[in-house]
Amino acid sequence: MKKYTLFFIPVFFFCLSVMNLTLITAENKKAQIISAVSGYTIFIDPGHGGKDNGTSYNTVVEDEINLSIANKIYERLLEDQARVLISRVADYDLSDVYAKNHKIQDLNKRIEYMKNCHADVFVSIHLNAYRDENVSGAQVFYKSNLDESKKFASIMQKNLNQLNEKEKKPKTGDYYLFKNTGKINGIIIECGFLSNSLERKKLTSEKYQKKVAECIHEGIISYFETKGRI
Ligand SMILES: [Zn+2]
């Protein structure tokens, strides 16, 4: 046997064992994630849709970006074998043609949907805008009357701060969705500001939308990992 062959054999088996170990670790991680979300129902809510574009800047509209980010989160959760539902899958709102108030009926339908599917948590995806165009960053909001919502928002905000120039703290908000969902745990995420030119550019790119979705997905998993088994 040649010298280099004698060297090659142990190196080959060493590489094989490292590969095997990496595979086992990845499999364990996957199993942990599946176990963390198992038994829970997660409701993903891409804000606005249809005639309601949400906030906008020239041709850049909030509802399209919300949907793109939300779909990515939804797909990642499906891979985790979670029970996950989404309020809309295309560019429409949930109100009837003859609704007196489209906005309120749309929100009520979303709330009805999440109640009917017995959602344990909801994650509503939005984008922000502000008159001061220097303001940027993802901001998480929680229900002031629910400790679990605050806990969920804190975990999520910490995760999203990886994308933010400046660290943000989760905030409470006087949202219709919060006031009308009773004890259902939930958060609203404003993923960034369309009024900030740099953030607007990033938010319109598929790559950054994916990054935001990955961050939110990780935040959801981290939250359920703290809850333990039910
Ligand atoms: Zn919005």
Side-chain angles (χ1 to χ4, degrees):
M1 207 177 270
K2 282 181 183 168
K3 231 180 189 176
Y4 70 85
T5 316
L6 280 171
F7 171 74
F8 179 74
I9 292 170
V11 168
F12 174 76
F13 280 106
F14 175 73
C15 288
L16 212 64
S17 63
V18 168
M19 271 166 65
N20 202 20
L21 212 65
T22 314
L23 276 173
I24 291 170
T25 315
E27 260 175 40
N28 278 351
K29 182 69 197 153
K30 187 78 193 161
Q32 267 175 26
I33 291 172
I34 292 170
S35 159
V37 293
S38 162
Y40 293 106
T41 300
I42 304 163
F43 190 88
I44 304 295
D45 176 43
H48 314 282
K51 281 181 188 163
D52 174 15
N53 290 136
T55 191
S56 62
Y57 190 96
N58 292 333
T59 53
V60 182
V61 284
E62 180 193 344
D63 61 339
E64 283 178 14
I65 300 173
N66 291 345
L67 182 65
S68 175
I69 294 171
N71 270 333
K72 289 172 178 53
I73 304 166
Y74 176 73
E75 276 162 24
R76 290 289 282 112
L77 287 167
L78 281 181
E79 285 170 23
D80 300 335
Q81 299 171 32
R83 180 170 189 252
V84 54
L85 294 109
I86 191 161
S87 51
R88 66 180 177 96
V89 292
D91 186 19
Y92 54 83
D93 69 83
L94 277 66
S95 68
D96 300 329
V97 186
Y98 302 108
K100 274 186 190 162
N101 186 330
H102 286 276
K103 182 73 201 156
I104 292 297
Q105 199 188 56
D106 173 51
L107 286 170
N108 284 340
K109 287 261 175 90
R110 290 172 202 241
I111 292 164
E112 195 185 315
Y113 186 11
M114 78 174 78
K115 280 181 180 169
N116 285 344
C117 71
H118 303 288
D120 291 291
V121 295
F122 66 84
V123 178
S124 190
I125 306 296
H126 288 260
L127 298 181
N128 230 332
Y130 194 56
R131 59 179 181 274
D132 179 356
E133 58 188 45
N134 293 311
V135 179
S136 67
Q139 176 72 59
V140 187
F141 292 87
Y142 62 91
K143 292 168 100 165
S144 57
N145 58 349
L146 208 66
D147 289 347
E148 275 298 304
S149 170
K150 191 176 182 181
K151 182 181 150 190
F152 189 14
S154 303
I155 291 170
M156 188 60 78
Q157 185 68 68
K158 210 173 151 192
N159 235 29
L160 282 166
N161 278 341
Q162 296 170 53
L163 304 174
N164 289 349
E165 233 174 76
K166 284 182 197 162
E167 255 189 37
K168 286 186 189 285
K169 283 189 164 56
K171 288 180 180 173
T172 54
D174 190 29
Y175 291 103
Y176 188 86
L177 208 55
F178 283 167
K179 286 191 284 190
N180 293 279
T181 44
K183 290 270 177 229
I184 306 175
N185 183 8
I187 53 173
I188 294 174
I189 306 174
E190 301 274 2
C191 300
F193 285 76
L194 284 186
S195 42
N196 179 283
S197 61
L198 186 69
E199 202 156 53
R200 182 170 63 248
K201 203 176 166 203
K202 285 199 284 183
L203 283 162
T204 50
S205 82
E206 177 73 15
K207 197 177 160 194
Y208 190 72
Q209 289 171 7
K210 206 173 166 195
K211 219 168 166 179
V212 174
E214 282 298 324
C215 251
I216 296 173
H217 171 256
E218 273 171 31
I220 294 171
I221 300 301
S222 299
Y223 170 69
F224 280 109
E225 278 175 346
T226 67
K227 279 179 80 76
R229 301 290 315 115
I230 47 170

